[in-house]
Amino acid sequence: ETGVTQSPTHLIKTRGQQVTLRCSSQSGHNTVSWYQQALGQGPQFIFQYYREEENGRGNFPPRFSGLQFPNYSSELNVNALELDDSALYLCASSGGLDSYNEQFFGPGTRLTVL
Amino acid sequence: DAKTTQPPSMDCAEGRAANLPCNHSTISGNEYVYWYRQIHSQGPQYIIHGLKNNETNEMASLIITEDRKSSTLILPHATLRDTAVYYCIVRVAGNSGYALNFGKGTSLLVTP
């Protein structure tokens, strides 16, 4: 059983650029959530995908968007990057909307915006 | 989801029990208490959760007060590898949408 994987591990972009981050969910999991973690803060919920549909969204602007694919892997896209978008981006998978035991987190992608 | 309050930092000697408190005075009857931890530069890791009964697993014990307004996570024999930020989260289990509302957590330092 493979865990949650994310790519790339590190990324440097400049203001105004666009970025795509990728996440492969744990085997058998159909729900993926994305979180942003700024330095010294707890993770903040961006949005969640369940069976390829967005199922919930946190307080993030529309330039944060996502996709979930039939194999339940997922992408996070951020347009018009701002300096404050510099953060660790975490992906978490779970076995479904009724699964309340655990969300399994990946190691994250460290995004730096210059 | 109910808001939680945790001390920003705590120290614990290696081999001793680490007791991490959490206040959740506005918790509702159907909200569970979850604990996650995040070791530096890694993704958060699930530890334990409970509703009103005390819970124990191979990692920790969770003690919830009778009025459910506070709880304590106990690491019975802390090791240096338990140094991490510990997050207490309350939410409704099985609710559609599974956003975890992390606060700032408690930074636990286990010392030799």
Side-chain angles (χ1 to χ4, degrees), chain B residues 41-90:
Chain B
S41 298
Q42 298 181 20
Q45 177 191 22
Y46 166 84
I47 302 173
I48 199 168
H49 77 282
L51 183 61
K52 53 185 177 181
N53 297 321
N54 297 337
E55 302 288 344
T56 297
N57 63 20
E58 65 278 3
M59 290 183 68
S61 295
L62 175 60
I63 308 298
I64 303 174
T65 58
E66 191 170 344
D67 63 7
R68 304 209 322 120
K69 293 186 177 182
S70 65
S71 61
T72 301
L73 178 74
I74 301 172
L75 307 178
H77 305 287
T79 70
L80 299 179
R81 287 176 293 181
D82 292 323
T83 292
V85 177
Y86 287 77
Y87 297 98
C88 171
I89 301 166
V90 294

Coordinates of all heavy atoms in Angstrom, one line a residue, chain B residues 41-90:
Chain B
S41 N 8.7 19.7 9.0 CA 8.9 19.5 7.5 C 8.1 18.3 7.0 O 8.4 17.8 5.9 CB 10.4 19.4 7.1 OG 11.0 20.6 7.4
Q42 N 7.3 17.7 7.8 CA 6.5 16.6 7.3 C 5.0 16.9 7.3 O 4.6 18.0 7.9 CB 6.7 15.3 8.2 CG 8.1 14.8 8.2 CD 8.3 13.6 9.1 OE1 7.3 12.9 9.4 NE2 9.5 13.3 9.5
G43 N 4.2 16.1 6.7 CA 2.7 16.3 6.8 C 2.2 15.9 8.1 O 2.8 15.1 8.8
P44 N 1.0 16.5 8.5 CA 0.4 16.1 9.8 C 0.1 14.6 9.8 O -0.2 14.0 8.8 CB -0.9 16.9 9.8 CG -0.6 18.1 9.0 CD 0.3 17.6 7.9
Q45 N 0.2 14.0 11.0 CA -0.1 12.6 11.3 C -1.2 12.4 12.3 O -1.2 13.1 13.3 CB 1.2 11.9 11.8 CG 1.1 10.5 12.2 CD 2.3 10.0 12.9 OE1 3.0 10.7 13.5 NE2 2.5 8.7 12.9
Y46 N -2.2 11.6 11.9 CA -3.3 11.3 12.9 C -2.8 10.6 14.1 O -1.9 9.7 14.0 CB -4.3 10.5 12.1 CG -5.4 9.8 13.0 CD1 -6.5 10.5 13.5 CD2 -5.2 8.5 13.5 CE1 -7.4 9.9 14.3 CE2 -6.2 7.9 14.3 CZ -7.3 8.6 14.7 OH -8.2 8.0 15.5
I47 N -3.3 11.0 15.3 CA -2.9 10.3 16.5 C -4.1 9.5 17.1 O -4.0 8.3 17.2 CB -2.4 11.3 17.6 CG1 -1.2 12.1 17.0 CG2 -2.0 10.5 18.9 CD1 -0.7 13.2 18.0
I48 N -5.2 10.2 17.4 CA -6.3 9.6 18.1 C -7.5 10.5 18.0 O -7.4 11.7 17.7 CB -5.9 9.3 19.5 CG1 -6.8 8.3 20.2 CG2 -5.8 10.6 20.3 CD1 -6.2 7.8 21.6
H49 N -8.7 9.9 18.2 CA -9.9 10.7 18.3 C -10.8 10.1 19.3 O -10.7 8.9 19.6 CB -10.5 11.0 16.9 CG -11.3 9.8 16.4 ND1 -10.7 8.7 15.9 CD2 -12.6 9.6 16.4 CE1 -11.6 7.8 15.5 NE2 -12.8 8.3 15.8
G50 N -11.8 10.9 19.8 CA -12.8 10.4 20.7 C -14.0 11.3 20.8 O -13.9 12.5 20.4
L51 N -15.1 10.8 21.3 CA -16.3 11.5 21.4 C -16.5 11.9 22.9 O -16.6 13.1 23.2 CB -17.5 10.7 20.9 CG -18.9 11.4 21.0 CD1 -18.9 12.7 20.1 CD2 -20.0 10.5 20.5
K52 N -16.7 10.9 23.8 CA -16.9 11.3 25.2 C -16.2 10.3 26.1 O -15.9 10.6 27.2 CB -18.3 11.4 25.6 CG -19.2 10.2 25.2 CD -20.6 10.5 25.5 CE -21.5 9.3 25.0 NZ -23.0 9.6 25.3
N53 N -15.9 9.1 25.6 CA -15.1 8.1 26.4 C -13.7 8.3 26.2 O -13.2 8.8 25.2 CB -15.5 6.7 26.0 CG -17.0 6.4 26.3 OD1 -17.5 6.9 27.3 ND2 -17.6 5.7 25.4
N54 N -12.9 7.9 27.2 CA -11.4 7.9 27.1 C -11.0 6.9 26.0 O -11.6 5.8 25.9 CB -10.8 7.7 28.4 CG -11.1 8.7 29.4 OD1 -11.5 9.9 29.1 ND2 -11.0 8.4 30.7
E55 N -10.0 7.2 25.3 CA -9.5 6.3 24.2 C -8.0 6.1 24.4 O -7.3 7.0 24.8 CB -9.8 6.9 22.8 CG -11.3 7.2 22.5 CD -12.1 6.0 22.3 OE1 -11.5 4.9 22.1 OE2 -13.4 6.1 22.4
T56 N -7.6 4.9 23.9 CA -6.2 4.6 24.0 C -5.8 3.8 22.7 O -6.6 2.9 22.3 CB -5.8 3.8 25.2 OG1 -6.1 4.5 26.4 CG2 -4.4 3.4 25.2
N57 N -4.7 4.1 22.1 CA -4.2 3.3 21.1 C -2.7 3.2 21.3 O -2.1 3.5 22.3 CB -4.5 3.9 19.7 CG -3.9 5.3 19.4 OD1 -3.0 5.7 20.1 ND2 -4.5 6.0 18.5
E58 N -2.0 2.7 20.3 CA -0.6 2.4 20.4 C 0.3 3.6 20.5 O 1.4 3.6 21.0 CB 0.0 1.5 19.3 CG -0.1 2.2 17.9 CD -1.5 2.1 17.3 OE1 -2.4 1.6 17.9 OE2 -1.6 2.6 16.1
M59 N -0.3 4.8 20.2 CA 0.5 6.0 20.2 C 0.2 6.8 21.5 O 1.2 7.4 22.0 CB 0.2 6.9 19.0 CG 0.7 6.4 17.7 SD 0.3 7.5 16.3 CE 1.3 8.9 16.8
A60 N -1.0 6.9 21.9 CA -1.4 7.8 23.0 C -2.7 7.4 23.6 O -3.4 6.5 23.2 CB -1.5 9.2 22.4
S61 N -3.0 8.2 24.7 CA -4.3 8.1 25.3 C -5.0 9.5 25.2 O -4.3 10.5 25.3 CB -4.2 7.7 26.8 OG -3.7 6.4 26.9
L62 N -6.3 9.5 25.1 CA -7.1 10.7 25.1 C -8.0 10.7 26.2 O -8.9 9.7 26.4 CB -7.8 10.8 23.8 CG -8.8 12.0 23.6 CD1 -8.1 13.3 23.7 CD2 -9.5 11.9 22.3
I63 N -7.9 11.7 27.1 CA -8.8 11.8 28.3 C -9.7 13.0 28.0 O -9.3 14.1 27.8 CB -8.0 12.0 29.6 CG1 -7.0 10.9 29.7 CG2 -9.0 12.0 30.8 CD1 -7.5 9.5 29.8
I64 N -11.1 12.8 28.0 CA -12.0 13.8 27.8 C -12.8 14.0 29.1 O -13.3 13.0 29.6 CB -13.0 13.5 26.6 CG1 -12.2 13.2 25.3 CG2 -14.0 14.6 26.4 CD1 -13.0 12.7 24.2
T65 N -12.9 15.3 29.5 CA -13.7 15.5 30.7 C -15.1 15.2 30.6 O -15.7 15.1 29.4 CB -13.5 17.0 31.2 OG1 -14.0 17.8 30.1 CG2 -12.1 17.3 31.5
E66 N -15.8 15.0 31.7 CA -17.2 14.6 31.6 C -18.1 15.6 30.9 O -19.0 15.2 30.2 CB -17.7 14.3 33.1 CG -19.1 13.6 33.1 CD -19.4 13.1 34.5 OE1 -18.6 13.1 35.4 OE2 -20.6 12.8 34.7
D67 N -17.8 16.9 31.1 CA -18.6 17.9 30.4 C -18.1 18.1 29.0 O -18.7 19.0 28.3 CB -18.6 19.2 31.2 CG -17.2 19.8 31.3 OD1 -16.3 19.3 30.7 OD2 -17.1 20.8 32.1
R68 N -17.1 17.5 28.6 CA -16.5 17.5 27.3 C -15.9 18.9 26.9 O -15.7 19.1 25.7 CB -17.5 17.1 26.2 CG -18.1 15.7 26.4 CD -18.5 14.9 25.2 NE -19.1 15.8 24.2 CZ -18.6 15.9 22.9 NH1 -17.5 15.2 22.6 NH2 -19.2 16.6 22.1
K69 N -15.7 19.7 27.8 CA -15.2 21.1 27.5 C -13.7 21.1 27.4 O -13.1 22.1 27.0 CB -15.7 22.1 28.5 CG -17.3 22.3 28.4 CD -17.7 23.4 29.3 CE -19.2 23.6 29.1 NZ -19.8 24.7 29.9
S70 N -13.0 20.0 27.8 CA -11.6 20.0 27.7 C -11.1 18.6 27.5 O -11.9 17.6 27.8 CB -10.9 20.7 28.8 OG -11.1 20.0 30.0
S71 N -9.9 18.4 27.0 CA -9.4 17.1 26.9 C -7.8 17.1 27.1 O -7.3 18.2 27.1 CB -9.7 16.5 25.5 OG -9.2 17.3 24.5
T72 N -7.2 16.0 27.3 CA -5.8 15.9 27.4 C -5.3 14.7 26.6 O -5.8 13.6 26.7 CB -5.4 15.7 28.9 OG1 -5.9 16.8 29.7 CG2 -3.9 15.6 29.1
L73 N -4.3 15.0 25.8 CA -3.6 14.0 25.1 C -2.4 13.5 25.9 O -1.6 14.4 26.4 CB -3.1 14.5 23.7 CG -2.3 13.4 22.9 CD1 -3.2 12.4 22.3 CD2 -1.5 14.1 21.8
I74 N -2.2 12.2 26.1 CA -1.1 11.7 27.0 C -0.2 10.8 26.1 O -0.7 9.9 25.5 CB -1.7 10.9 28.2 CG1 -2.6 11.8 29.0 CG2 -0.5 10.4 29.0 CD1 -3.3 11.1 30.2
L75 N 1.0 11.2 26.0 CA 2.1 10.4 25.5 C 2.7 9.7 26.7 O 3.5 10.4 27.4 CB 3.0 11.2 24.6 CG 2.5 12.1 23.5 CD1 3.6 12.8 22.8 CD2 1.6 11.3 22.6
P76 N 2.6 8.4 26.9 CA 2.9 7.9 28.2 C 4.4 7.9 28.5 O 4.9 8.0 29.6 CB 2.4 6.4 28.1 CG 2.2 6.2 26.7 CD 1.9 7.5 26.1
H77 N 5.2 7.7 27.5 CA 6.7 7.6 27.6 C 7.3 8.4 26.5 O 7.7 7.8 25.5 CB 7.2 6.2 27.7 CG 6.6 5.4 28.7 ND1 6.8 5.5 30.1 CD2 5.6 4.4 28.6 CE1 6.1 4.6 30.8 NE2 5.4 3.9 29.9
A78 N 7.4 9.7 26.6 CA 7.9 10.5 25.5 C 9.3 10.2 25.1 O 10.2 10.0 25.9 CB 7.7 12.0 25.9
T79 N 9.5 10.2 23.8 CA 10.8 10.0 23.2 C 11.2 11.3 22.4 O 10.4 12.1 22.1 CB 10.9 8.8 22.3 OG1 10.2 9.1 21.1 CG2 10.4 7.6 23.0
L80 N 12.5 11.4 22.1 CA 12.9 12.6 21.3 C 12.2 12.7 20.0 O 11.9 13.8 19.5 CB 14.4 12.5 21.1 CG 15.3 12.5 22.3 CD1 16.8 12.4 21.9 CD2 15.1 13.7 23.2
R81 N 11.7 11.5 19.5 CA 11.0 11.6 18.2 C 9.6 12.1 18.3 O 8.9 12.3 17.3 CB 11.0 10.2 17.6 CG 12.3 9.7 17.0 CD 12.3 8.3 16.5 NE 12.1 7.4 17.6 CZ 12.1 6.0 17.4 NH1 12.2 5.5 16.2 NH2 11.9 5.2 18.5
D82 N 9.1 12.3 19.6 CA 7.8 12.9 19.8 C 7.8 14.4 19.7 O 6.8 15.1 19.9 CB 7.2 12.4 21.1 CG 6.9 10.9 21.1 OD1 6.4 10.4 20.1 OD2 7.1 10.3 22.2
T83 N 9.0 15.0 19.6 CA 9.1 16.4 19.4 C 8.4 16.8 18.1 O 8.7 16.4 17.1 CB 10.6 16.9 19.4 OG1 11.2 16.7 20.6 CG2 10.7 18.4 19.0
A84 N 7.3 17.7 18.3 CA 6.5 18.0 17.2 C 5.5 19.1 17.6 O 5.4 19.4 18.8 CB 5.7 16.8 16.7
V85 N 4.7 19.6 16.6 CA 3.6 20.4 16.9 C 2.3 19.5 17.0 O 2.1 18.8 16.1 CB 3.4 21.5 15.9 CG1 2.1 22.4 16.2 CG2 4.6 22.4 15.8
Y86 N 1.6 19.6 18.1 CA 0.4 18.8 18.3 C -0.9 19.7 18.2 O -1.0 20.7 18.8 CB 0.4 18.2 19.7 CG 1.5 17.1 19.8 CD1 2.8 17.4 19.9 CD2 1.1 15.7 19.7 CE1 3.8 16.4 19.9 CE2 2.0 14.7 19.7 CZ 3.4 15.1 19.8 OH 4.3 14.1 19.8
Y87 N -1.8 19.2 17.3 CA -3.0 20.0 17.0 C -4.2 19.2 17.6 O -4.4 18.0 17.4 CB -3.2 20.1 15.5 CG -2.1 20.9 14.8 CD1 -1.1 20.3 14.2 CD2 -2.2 22.3 14.8 CE1 -0.1 21.1 13.5 CE2 -1.2 23.1 14.1 CZ -0.2 22.4 13.5 OH 0.7 23.2 12.8
C88 N -5.0 20.0 18.3 CA -6.3 19.5 18.8 C -7.4 20.1 17.9 O -7.5 21.3 17.7 CB -6.5 19.9 20.3 SG -8.1 19.7 21.0
I89 N -8.3 19.2 17.4 CA -9.3 19.7 16.4 C -10.6 19.1 16.9 O -10.7 17.9 17.2 CB -8.9 19.2 15.0 CG1 -7.6 19.8 14.6 CG2 -10.0 19.6 14.0 CD1 -7.0 19.1 13.4
V90 N -11.7 19.8 16.8 CA -13.0 19.3 17.0 C -13.9 19.4 15.8 O -13.8 20.4 15.1 CB -13.7 19.9 18.2 CG1 -13.0 19.6 19.5 CG2 -13.9 21.4 18.1

